[in-house]
Amino acid sequence: MKRALMIILLLAMGQAGFAQKSYTYLGGGLSAGVLNYKRLDQMVDNYNITRTGANGSIALTKQMEKFRFHTGYHAAYGWVNAEEGWMADLRFSTRKATSRAEAAGNKYRELELRNNMLSIGGGYTFINSGLIDMIGGLTADFGAMTFYSQTDSIPRAKMMSEGALGNSLFVQTHVTFGFIGLAARAYYQFQWFSTPLDKLDKQINPFTPQALDKTFNYSDDIGLEVSAIIMFGKKKMNTNNKVIRRK
């Protein structure tokens, strides 16, 4: 253990002497976010309110919870250019969340949301050193929201899948040792065109669908991505240990 800590310390000291570096990186890891999707909240409320046992409906013993927290994975391929002060990357992420309603007699309905997203982004590297890089930027996000459902009597099946478009603001940090490192990205994503859910509402609420105005068809998401990265083509620029600022 002591030997491993000494190796890490020596690597960090060796890297600190080189202030600026350009490199290509490949990485992947875990992600989690807090989701705000008003139209989805309305649909879940409609489901819960109308399951009272009246008019032939099933009375819920456990209501379906709103979709607030989704988790998943991501992979990224990107570039950091120390001389120009910019970075760019291509990123794919997939996150999912599930919610379940229950009734007497082991009856239930489970609903799953899966959000797949391809992001093209760029940013400014405002700190670039031998050990730490810090980047702020913006992405354009293209993807799809897919919903699956299953009940005690119906196996899991895709209910609908439609496109979504948005943008994300992010702050990203790289901590690097030689050709490997760790990365963390805090982001705020706003989807301008999220999946309209009237079709899904009609499927899970066939007798009480709630058609809402399209202004409800948007979502936002704030979260964190943590990944391991491997660097390629690394170029050390100088030994002044300075902060980069674009001229």
Side-chain angles (χ1 to χ4, degrees):
M1 182 66 179
K2 290 182 179 179
R3 181 177 296 179
L5 290 174
M6 182 63 69
I7 292 173
I8 293 174
L9 180 61
L10 290 173
L11 285 172
M13 292 174 63
Q15 288 296 306
F18 296 96
Q20 300 176 0
K21 59 188 184 300
S22 296
Y23 55 92
T24 301
Y25 64 89
L26 178 66
L30 305 176
S31 59
V34 178
L35 178 67
N36 176 34
Y37 194 175
K38 290 187 177 181
R39 178 62 179 105
L40 184 55
D41 289 348
Q42 293 280 348
M43 189 192 72
V44 171
D45 284 340
N46 185 29
Y47 183 88
N48 291 329
I49 291 171
T50 56
R51 298 312 192 275
T52 62
N55 301 319
S57 69
I58 295 175
L60 297 179
T61 57
K62 177 183 179 295
Q63 291 191 342
M64 184 178 292
E65 295 181 350
K66 294 178 180 178
F67 291 76
R68 284 288 177 263
F69 192 70
H70 58 165
T71 59
Y73 307 92
H74 67 274
Y77 180 72
W79 307 266
V80 174
N81 186 301
E83 292 179 295
E84 301 296 328
W86 57 261
M87 68 79 64
D89 77 2
L90 181 67
R91 182 172 297 246
F92 174 78
S93 63
T94 179
R95 303 182 185 100
K96 73 173 184 177
T98 60
S99 188
R100 180 183 174 106
E102 298 177 356
N106 294 322
K107 295 184 180 297
Y108 72 89
R109 177 183 288 275
E110 188 171 275
L111 194 62
E112 177 184 314
L113 162 64
R114 187 174 292 272
N115 194 354
N116 295 328
M117 194 68 60
L118 179 67
S119 301
I120 302 172
Y124 175 55
T125 309
F126 55 91
I127 294 179
N128 180 263
S129 71
L131 182 63
I132 296 175
D133 307 318
M134 188 166 288
I135 303 154
L138 174 71
T139 68
D141 306 319
F142 311 89
M145 282 187 171
T146 304
F147 287 86
Y148 300 87
S149 179
Q150 70 180 53
T151 72
D152 54 285
S153 58
I154 302 174
R156 183 176 183 271
K158 182 189 292 187
M159 304 292 283
M160 63 173 294
S161 181
E162 292 197 21
L165 299 174
N167 292 105
S168 297
L169 297 170
F170 69 86
V171 176
Q172 183 167 320
T173 301
H174 293 177
V175 180
T176 58
F177 302 93
F179 65 92
I180 61 173
L182 296 175
R185 171 181 286 197
Y187 69 87
Y188 171 73
Q189 181 188 69
F190 183 88
Q191 292 193 0
W192 299 97
F193 302 102
S194 296
T195 301
L197 299 181
D198 288 1
K199 178 181 176 181
L200 180 61
D201 201 345
K202 290 178 182 178
Q203 292 183 76
I204 72 167
N205 296 308
F207 303 110
T208 58
Q210 204 175 56
L212 297 182
D213 187 86
K214 289 187 177 181
T215 56
F216 285 100
N217 289 331
Y218 68 88
S219 66
D220 58 39
D221 173 24
I222 184 169
L224 179 67
E225 297 179 339
V226 178
S227 56
I229 60 173
I230 300 174
M231 294 177 287
F232 304 91
K234 186 174 175 181
K235 297 179 181 179
K236 300 169 183 176
M237 308 307 298
N238 61 45
T239 58
N240 296 325
N241 200 27
K242 295 187 299 185
V243 174
I244 289 181
R245 298 197 184 279
R246 185 172 297 176
K247 296 179 180 180

